[in-house]
Structure formats: structure tokens, C-alpha cells
């Protein structure tokens, strides 16, 4: 799976990916999802990084883990309104803004019904 961001080149995990390339991919995920590729060592998701390195999880699963992490929640979920959080999810996870107010409204409905 490749990771796409507006301001960075595509990166992907291939069978022969070197450690350097893997670190580039991990930094790209952190930058895309958290807005910062340079995290304190205590903020990094070492278990998920290790699972990705060992190919026990895919890039998609790594992105999912970062997006569901306590760190993501503390940075964006707990400190933002519903609307802002939804807009940030679009930006961080889809690499685009919501298409229109109807799309935001649909996600607000989901947020209110399912959390």
C-alpha cells in the first residue's frame, strides 16, 4: 500500500524495503496522520512500528493504529469540536478536505450515533 500526502512523494512498503526506507515510511505516516514526523521517543508507537517492520501488519493497519492511538485522540479528538475533528480526519486520513457540507453532516451523524 502506498501512503499519499499532498506535499510529499508516495512511499510504499515493498518486500525488499531497507530499514532506511522503512523509517522514511514510518515518518511519512506520522507526518500525514499527526502532522509531525519528529516525535519524542515516548510518543512513538514502538509496538506497531515493530509489527510493521516484521510485516505482521500492513501499512494500512499501521495508519489505522496511529489514527486510533491515545496520542491522536489527545492531539485532535479531545481538544477539537466535532466539526473540526471531522475536518482533520479527512485531511489526515484521506489527504483531502470534505467535499461539501453534506459530507460533513453525514460524518457528524455517524459521530453522534456511533461515537
Amino acid at each position: 500500500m502506498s501512503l499519499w500526502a499532498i506535499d510529499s512523494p508516495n512511499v510504499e512498503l515493498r518486500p525488499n524495503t531497507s530499514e532506511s526506507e522503512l523509517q522514511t515510511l514510518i515518518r511519512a505516516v506520522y507526518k500525514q496522520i499527526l502532522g509531525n514526523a519528529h516525535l519524542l521517543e515516548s510518543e512513538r508507537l514502538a509496538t506497531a512500528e515493530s509489527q510493521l517492520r516484521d510485516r505482521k501488519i500492513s501499512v494500512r493497519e499501521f495508519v489505522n493504529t496511529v489514527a486510533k492511538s491515545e496520542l491522536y485522540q489527545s492531539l485532535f479528538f479531545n481538544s477539537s469540536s466535532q466539526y473540526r475533528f471531522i475536518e482533520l480526519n479527512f485531511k489526515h486520513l484521506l489527504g483531502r478536505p470534505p467535499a461539501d457540507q453534506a459530507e460533513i453532516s453525514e460524518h457528524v451523524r455517524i459521530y453522534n450515533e456511533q461515537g
Side-chain angles (χ1 to χ4, degrees):
M1 173 184 179
S2 28
L3 180 69
W4 176 82
I6 293 170
D7 61 348
S8 66
N10 286 350
V11 292
E12 24 182 330
L13 183 61
R14 297 181 181 180
N16 59 347
T17 299
S18 70
E19 180 61 27
S20 173
E21 292 168 324
L22 180 67
Q23 288 303 317
T24 298
L25 185 139
I26 289 169
R27 282 192 303 278
V29 170
Y30 285 137
K31 182 177 180 186
Q32 178 73 26
I33 306 301
L34 301 175
N36 186 359
H38 306 287
L39 299 172
L40 297 175
E41 198 60 36
S42 63
E43 295 175 317
R44 293 182 65 138
L45 303 173
T47 300
E49 287 182 28
S50 177
Q51 290 174 329
L52 180 66
R53 181 176 290 105
D54 295 341
R55 307 299 198 275
K56 292 180 180 175
I57 62 173
S58 66
V59 174
R60 180 182 298 244
E61 290 167 317
F62 182 66
V63 167
N64 192 17
T65 300
V66 174
K68 290 181 175 181
S69 70
E70 288 183 29
L71 178 59
Y72 187 83
Q73 288 182 24
S74 70
L75 290 172
F76 305 108
F77 181 74
N78 298 334
S79 61
S80 301
S81 70
Q82 288 178 352
Y83 293 97
R84 179 70 178 143
F85 179 68
I86 290 165
E87 289 173 354
L88 290 171
N89 273 306
F90 272 86
K91 177 184 172 194
H92 296 156
L93 301 174
L94 300 177
R96 67 172 180 87
D100 54 24
Q101 186 58 41
E103 192 170 40
I104 292 174
S105 296
E106 175 62 16
H107 286 271
V108 168
R109 184 190 64 74
I110 293 168
Y111 178 98
N112 288 328
E113 290 177 3
Q114 300 174 20

